[in-house]
Amino acid sequence: MTGVGRGTVQAIQDGRWIVLDCEQDQFLPDGTLVLRWQLHWVSGWAPGHGEYRAVMTDNYGHADVYRGRMEGDRLVFESLEAAAVRLRFTWDASDPGVITWRNEMAVGDGSWFLIEEYPMVPQ
């Protein structure tokens, strides 16, 4: 599939948190629209936890909390350990010209597997 997305970002509470509202239309190779995914994401540094934290809701009924960390030029958020189905989101900015998005999943204590990965480019 291919996807075309849009998003708006704003800082709130004197810059402590970032709010992202976005949506992505996903298409089959012949151009048929499969779905429109919508997301609301709030993330920032949580001093009480000593790490980045995020909350996410989407139009499929997901509502989860994530832990975040920096790994060099990568920002990585993962579901909390107790989640039955865990997600890992990575924004990789190691190439100065493009940020690469990666979405992975693991069930229980299983291995991570790739759901999607693509460059995020402005249009």
Side-chain angles (χ1 to χ4, degrees), residues 78-89 103-115:
E78 291 183 10
S79 303
L80 298 179
E81 293 82 8
V85 175
R86 296 177 296 133
L87 295 173
R88 179 166 57 196
F89 308 121
N103 180 1
E104 298 168 279
M105 176 187 289
V107 178
D109 291 335
S111 300
W112 293 103
F113 62 90
L114 182 64
I115 297 173

Side-chain angles (χ1 to χ4, degrees), residues 2-59:
T2 60
V4 177
R6 300 154 290 286
T8 58
V9 176
Q10 73 174 27
I12 62 169
Q13 299 176 352
D14 297 324
R16 177 173 299 278
W17 301 99
I18 301 296
V19 177
L20 168 66
D21 285 301
C22 64
E23 61 186 21
Q24 181 188 64
D25 294 328
Q26 297 177 1
F27 302 92
L28 295 175
D30 69 1
T32 302
L33 176 66
V34 175
L35 59 90
R36 174 171 286 166
W37 177 66
Q38 297 171 318
L39 168 81
H40 182 75
W41 175 273
V42 179
S43 64
W45 182 256
H49 296 284
E51 63 188 5
Y52 293 98
R53 286 287 175 110
V55 294
M56 179 271 280
T57 60
D58 72 10
N59 59 317

Side-chain angles (χ1 to χ4, degrees), residues 71-75 90-101 117-122:
E71 295 179 351
D73 291 328
R74 298 178 340 137
L75 174 61
T90 303
W91 290 266
D92 185 338
S94 57
D95 177 343
V98 65
I99 295 174
T100 299
W101 159 257
E117 180 177 51
Y118 53 83
M120 299 174 67
V121 295

